[in-house]
Amino acid sequence: MEQVEPALPREKLLQYGVHSLTDSELLAIFLRTGTPGKSVFTLSQELLRHFGSLYGLLTAELPAFRHVEGIGLAKYAQLKAIAELARRFYNVRLEEESALLSPQMTREFLQSQLTDMEREIFMAIFLDNKNRVLKHSHLFSGTLSHVEVHPREIVREAIKVNAAAVILAHNHPSGCAEPSKADRDITERIIKCCQVMDIRVLDHLIIGRGEYVSFAEHGWI
């Protein structure tokens, strides 16, 4: 019986769609070339194994590649460009599509903004009464494990853009998205502060590394 060669990533994408590709196949398309004696597909597989995941690879800084065979400055630049392109895509998508049509879209956007931050960042997405995005802002910046949040500032920003609702989000640089007591307490304070001005808090998402927690999904809002 004749053995059929597996389709190359580019041909597979064109025949079956982009969602049919594995992480290593997508990565191979971006890297384009391998190294002497090593195909680009093999290089992609080795990189993902070495860094543990696509996230680990795309967020790694230059020193982490010093002992990785096949990755010089050119390919390192390609990897950083891929990560930045993805982040900018979600920014543009939010502006172009205007309305947050699903919880998944919201989560993907927030992950693109917060996942690789080294300090805690608290941000908000302000929406009108049809869930169209009016503005999104990084409101407060903190340390590795803490960010000081002022509910009145959130309300003030919401009033500036005449927002009817707000989605809250912050990251946990430790990687674990489990909310702390302080996270729950500040969420309650923000909700109470917003209620005074008839502004709805739709959700508070905590973004970790490869994981997230949604207060709305857990019924906490």
Side-chain angles (χ1 to χ4, degrees):
M1 184 176 178
E2 185 179 353
Q3 187 175 3
V4 179
E5 290 293 324
L8 293 172
R10 190 176 291 106
E11 284 76 15
K12 185 177 175 182
L13 182 153
L14 294 172
Q15 185 172 357
Y16 301 108
V18 69
H19 296 292
S20 69
L21 271 62
T22 64
D23 287 350
S24 55
E25 289 171 331
L26 283 169
L27 186 59
I29 289 177
F30 280 103
L31 293 178
R32 297 178 57 202
T33 60
T35 58
K38 184 181 298 183
S39 72
V40 66
F41 186 62
T42 299
L43 175 62
S44 298
Q45 290 177 318
E46 290 181 356
L47 285 171
L48 290 173
R49 280 198 298 268
H50 180 84
F51 288 97
S53 66
L54 193 58
Y55 169 81
L57 173 63
L58 294 181
T59 56
E61 296 300 331
L62 185 57
F65 289 90
R66 285 178 180 163
H67 303 294
V68 178
E69 184 181 353
I71 296 294
L73 290 177
K75 278 191 165 47
Y76 170 76
Q78 283 178 274
L79 292 170
K80 300 309 288 185
I82 294 170
E84 179 62 16
L85 188 64
R87 189 189 69 80
R88 294 188 188 188
F89 163 74
Y90 283 111
N91 266 333
V92 172
R93 183 186 183 189
L94 200 67
E95 294 167 3
E96 294 291 331
E97 297 188 10
S98 185
L100 286 174
L101 302 178
S102 69
Q104 180 182 349
M105 180 179 172
T106 305
R107 172 175 54 80
E108 288 175 348
F109 168 72
L110 292 170
Q111 286 175 320
S112 76
Q113 296 293 301
L114 296 172
T115 297
D116 60 349
M117 294 291 186
E118 296 179 354
R119 298 181 297 168
E120 281 203 16
I121 304 293
F122 194 100
M123 67 177 294
I125 303 174
F126 300 100
L127 309 127
D128 67 11
N129 56 11
K130 294 184 179 179
N131 282 355
R132 291 176 299 202
V133 177
L134 300 169
K135 180 182 180 181
H136 58 86
S137 301
H138 289 202
L139 296 175
F140 311 106
S141 178
T143 65
L144 180 65
S145 59
H146 175 74
V147 58
E148 187 172 349
V149 178
H150 303 283
R152 289 182 182 178
E153 290 298 318
I154 296 172
V155 173
R156 184 177 289 115
E157 288 297 314
I159 292 171
K160 282 182 183 178
V161 295
N162 198 27
V166 61
I167 295 173
L168 312 170
H170 77 282
N171 63 314
H172 282 178
S174 65
C176 176
E178 190 65 27
S180 65
K181 184 178 183 302
D183 293 333
R184 292 174 181 268
D185 289 345
I186 194 60
T187 304
E188 287 298 320
R189 287 175 54 201
I190 294 169
I191 290 172
K192 289 177 181 177
C193 206
C194 285
Q195 283 174 340
V196 174
M197 302 305 298
D198 199 27
I199 299 166
R200 293 172 294 127
V201 177
L202 301 181
D203 202 353
H204 183 176
L205 289 98
I206 301 177
I207 307 299
R209 297 198 175 189
E211 61 181 75
Y212 76 99
V213 169
S214 161
F215 277 51
E217 287 181 9
H218 283 79
W220 299 334
I221 288 182

